[in-house]
């Protein structure tokens, strides 16, 4: 049983709402959990409250608002995203230190970001630096790519994967194995790790969770088997990849082609065994079953 009793989930989006769900499903463990959100407008927050979460509205620009919200909290689970990872997450770290929080779990859930310099993910490394500077213990979870990144039409097309049209423009030959984990699979495992491992194994530790490892080519083959459609596959040359990167405005899209080409988002999956019997439900075989 964990040395920690009280948890605060910061941000109620995809990962945040799944964490709240995990606590609700394990009420018998006796943990307290709050959800910090910028507004209570989302109806799902009321469901979380009915399931046992304490809701706290926060202003991330006000240190006193954050410190008050974190009073009596042992562990902060940040699930912020995008601009929320820049100054906002740093404000949250400072407030956590001030409020006496014992462990900070920054919003990660992708690539191994230790020491990363790429502009899109640098805010994650900046958070690590601040946690070390303030001597606030942390736990990091790296989980590789989320399948939704290529399944959702808008991001999928940017990644060269258009399942609706059956057109797939790989960055390179698409043969390299990539790590894939859905939040529905990794959040329960991260929750289990945080609520069962002793402090000594959690503090300043990194856990790598891998739900599945498949190349884009293998994923397209599974899609083809399920749909019976013939894919149109194009393999971008090195020059075409560089031209695509140069033409992008967003830092994310300047980063992703090489991640897909070179498996930069690969994780080890070493943490999978920390919950005996844990098995990812959302493997690509199951997604295209
Ligand atoms: N590896 C991958 O393929 C992949 C894919 C997606 C996400 N991720 C990572 O997973 C983590 C969680 O992402 P997610 O998809 O769960 O995020 P999400 O659904 O977009 O939710 C993030 C939450 O953060 C809060 N937030 C957003 N912008 C904010 C801002 N400017 N200031 C303060 N709060 C803000 C919001 O909560 P409230 O409105 O409740 O305040 C929002 O619901 C992120 O670190 C992200 O980079 C990885």
């Amino acid at each position: 049983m964990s040395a920690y009793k009280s948890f605060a989930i910061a941000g109620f989006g995809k990962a945040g709402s799944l964490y709240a769900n995990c606590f609700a499903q394990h009420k018998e463990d006796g943990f307290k959990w709050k959800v910090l959100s910028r507004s209570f407008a989302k109806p799902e927050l009321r469901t979380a409250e009915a399931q046992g979460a304490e809701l706290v509205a926060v202003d991330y620009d006000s240190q006193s608002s954050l410190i008050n919200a974190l009073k009596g909290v042992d562990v902060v689970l940040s699930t912020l995203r995008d601009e929320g990872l820049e100054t906002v997450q740093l404000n949250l770290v400072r407030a956590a230190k001030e409020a006496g929080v014992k462990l900070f779990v920054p919003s990660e859930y992708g690539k191994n970001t230790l020491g990363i310099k790429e502009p899109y993910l640098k805010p994650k490394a900046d958070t690590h630096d601040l946690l070390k500077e303030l001597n606030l213990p942390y736990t990091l979870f790296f989980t590789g790519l989320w399948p939704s990144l290529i399944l959702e039409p808008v991001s999928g097309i940017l990644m060269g994967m258009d399942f609706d049209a059956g057109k797939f423009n790989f960055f390179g030959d698409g043969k390299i194995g990539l790590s894939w984990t859905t939040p529905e699979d990794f959040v329960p495992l991260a929750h289990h790790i945080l609520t069962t491992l002793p402090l000594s194994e959690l503090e300043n530790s990194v856990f790598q969770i891998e739900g599945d490892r498949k190349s884009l080519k293998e994923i397209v083959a599974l899609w083809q088997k399920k749909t019976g459609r013939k894919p149109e596959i194009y393999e971008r040359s090195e020059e075409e990849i560089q031209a695509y990167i140069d033409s992008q405005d967003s830092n994310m899209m300047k980063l992703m082609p090489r991640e897909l080409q070179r498996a930069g988002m690969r994780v080890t999956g070493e943490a999978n065994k920390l919950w005996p019997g844990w098995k990812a439900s959302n493997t690509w075989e199951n997604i295209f079953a």
Side-chain angles (χ1 to χ4, degrees), residues 10-17 35-39 42 45 58 60 78-85 88-89 106-111 120-121 124 143-149 180-181 183 186 252 256 265:
F12 194 75
K14 184 73 190 173
S17 56
V35 175
L36 277 49
S37 185
R38 293 166 298 173
S39 111
K42 295 176 221 178
L45 274 168
V58 285
Y60 285 99
S78 168
T79 63
L80 303 173
R81 187 169 178 185
D82 300 332
E83 331 81 77
L85 290 173
V88 172
Q89 186 166 257
S107 191
E108 290 287 339
Y109 312 115
K111 184 185 169 73
Y120 180 59
L121 293 173
K124 295 193 175 184
T143 60
L145 295 151
W146 299 17
S148 56
L149 197 73
W180 304 93
T181 322
F186 70 70
M252 179 187 172
M256 286 311 297
M265 284 213 172

Side-chain angles (χ1 to χ4, degrees), residues 144-247:
L145 295 151
W146 299 17
S148 56
L149 197 73
I150 59 168
L151 286 172
E152 283 172 9
V154 174
S155 52
I157 289 168
L158 284 171
M159 305 296 151
M161 303 290 285
D162 187 342
F163 288 97
D164 288 342
K167 290 186 179 168
F168 305 97
N169 292 323
F170 296 152
F171 297 101
D173 63 13
K175 285 188 185 157
I176 198 153
L178 308 171
S179 297
W180 304 93
T181 322
T182 61
E184 287 79 1
D185 281 326
F186 70 70
V187 169
L189 179 51
H191 171 270
H192 179 82
I193 289 171
L194 290 166
T195 54
T196 55
L197 257 57
L199 216 116
S200 57
E201 288 178 38
L202 290 173
E203 287 190 351
N204 306 330
S205 296
V206 170
F207 296 95
Q208 302 201 35
I209 300 171
E210 186 185 51
D212 196 7
R213 186 173 295 188
K214 288 274 180 310
S215 70
L216 292 175
K217 218 163 198 166
E218 288 169 318
I219 292 167
V220 171
L222 288 167
W223 168 86
Q224 181 174 10
K225 196 165 153 225
K226 178 179 167 69
T227 60
R229 292 170 63 192
K230 190 169 163 30
E232 275 180 51
I233 294 179
Y234 182 75
E235 298 177 10
R236 288 180 173 102
S237 67
E238 187 52 39
E239 294 70 37
E240 286 170 316
I241 296 170
Q242 195 53 53
Y244 182 90
I245 293 169
D246 293 342
S247 71

Side-chain angles (χ1 to χ4, degrees), residues 3 11 16 26 30 62 94 105 110 126 132 183 197 213 252:
H26 292 87
S62 155
R94 290 190 195 94
V105 184
D126 292 343
K132 287 177 194 158
L197 257 57
R213 186 173 295 188
M252 179 187 172

